[in-house]
Amino acid sequence: MHTGDVEPVPPQEVGKKMDVTAHVEAAAPEDAHRIFAEAKKRLLDINHWSDISRGISASFVLTDFRGTIKKCTPQVGDYFRIDIPGPGTTAGDGFDWVRIEMIEEEPGYLGAHESVAMRVRPAPQPEKKKPTAHFFAQDATSSFIVKREGMRITAEVHGRIEKPNTENESFGDAVRNAVISMGAQSGLSKVQWEKLVKGILNIR
């Protein structure tokens, strides 16, 4: 993880976009930093996203570039292995896959601002060059952000350039991806991400 000036949410160009946010207000500066630190820990603990998000239907597992499960802090180049209800992808051995392409942190203990952001993109299964094993095409991104601005702590998920991944070697995968992406674009994925941002902030 490193600091930098990379914009965590790319510009929207084509396809659909999705934005979900939730926030809490702290009573004191020390409380604000503590809440931020706890939320940041939950954000980066990808293997337990389904545990903190009441009713979320997908499960997430962090892996390295070989597809081996990791139980430590995510790094650029790691993957999410995603298990969603229904048939999985042939390309991903039953799972959808995304690769972490950016993690940025802005430290600011007791200062005005602090944040952590992580961006992922649909990818082939680890150690495979193709095809993309996800219901969205490879242009799509998902950005996960936790930030503190003064006494307000916010969790966000932003989807950009969301298009069905229909260019696939398997006709079955192409049909499956089209159906699931249509559901995601119609609002089903937004409901899931709303549960995640509330879980990250421990909103019950």
Side-chain angles (χ1 to χ4, degrees):
M1 188 179 302
H2 61 283
T3 59
D5 299 321
V6 177
E7 180 59 45
V9 183
Q12 175 67 13
E13 296 175 354
V14 296
K16 300 285 187 179
K17 72 173 185 175
M18 181 276 307
D19 300 285
V20 172
T21 66
H23 71 270
V24 295
E25 299 282 349
E30 293 82 0
D31 292 336
H33 177 71
R34 174 184 55 78
I35 294 169
F36 168 80
E38 292 172 352
K40 171 185 168 182
K41 182 178 179 180
R42 295 187 194 102
L43 170 67
L44 298 177
D45 189 6
I46 295 150
N47 295 337
H48 291 97
W49 277 5
S50 59
D51 297 331
I52 65 171
S53 309
R54 289 186 177 183
I56 196 169
S57 57
S59 62
F60 300 83
V61 173
L62 179 69
T63 82
D64 64 15
F65 67 95
R66 295 187 180 91
T68 303
I69 295 174
K70 291 183 63 173
K71 296 183 179 180
C72 54
T73 302
Q75 298 176 324
V76 171
D78 287 343
Y79 289 76
F80 294 7
R81 191 187 74 191
I82 308 168
D83 189 4
I84 65 175
T89 64
T90 302
D93 286 343
F95 301 102
D96 291 84
W97 294 86
V98 295
R99 181 180 179 275
I100 301 174
E101 65 178 22
M102 187 214 76
I103 301 177
E104 293 289 340
E105 184 173 5
E106 179 186 357
Y109 177 65
L110 299 186
H113 308 280
E114 53 190 329
S115 66
V116 60
M118 174 171 59
R119 188 173 70 227
V120 304
R121 185 182 298 272
Q125 185 178 357
E127 297 200 315
K128 293 185 178 180
K129 294 183 178 180
K130 63 177 185 177
T132 298
H134 194 276
F135 56 85
F136 283 145
Q138 200 166 13
D139 290 341
T141 61
S142 295
S143 301
F144 305 90
I145 302 169
V146 170
K147 62 185 180 183
R148 180 182 64 79
E149 296 172 306
M151 309 286 263
R152 172 173 288 197
I153 302 90
T154 305
E156 307 176 2
V157 180
H158 302 279
R160 291 294 182 268
I161 316 180
E162 295 181 340
K163 301 181 298 180
N165 174 23
T166 56
E167 297 182 3
N168 210 291
E169 296 175 355
S170 163
F171 176 74
D173 277 3
V175 173
R176 176 257 187 196
N177 293 342
V179 171
I180 294 179
S181 65
M182 286 175 61
Q185 292 173 338
S186 68
L188 293 178
S189 67
K190 188 171 184 177
V191 172
Q192 300 297 307
W193 295 135
E194 286 172 346
K195 294 175 180 178
L196 177 63
V197 294
K198 288 181 179 179
I200 288 172
L201 294 176
N202 199 27
I203 298 173
R204 302 298 180 188

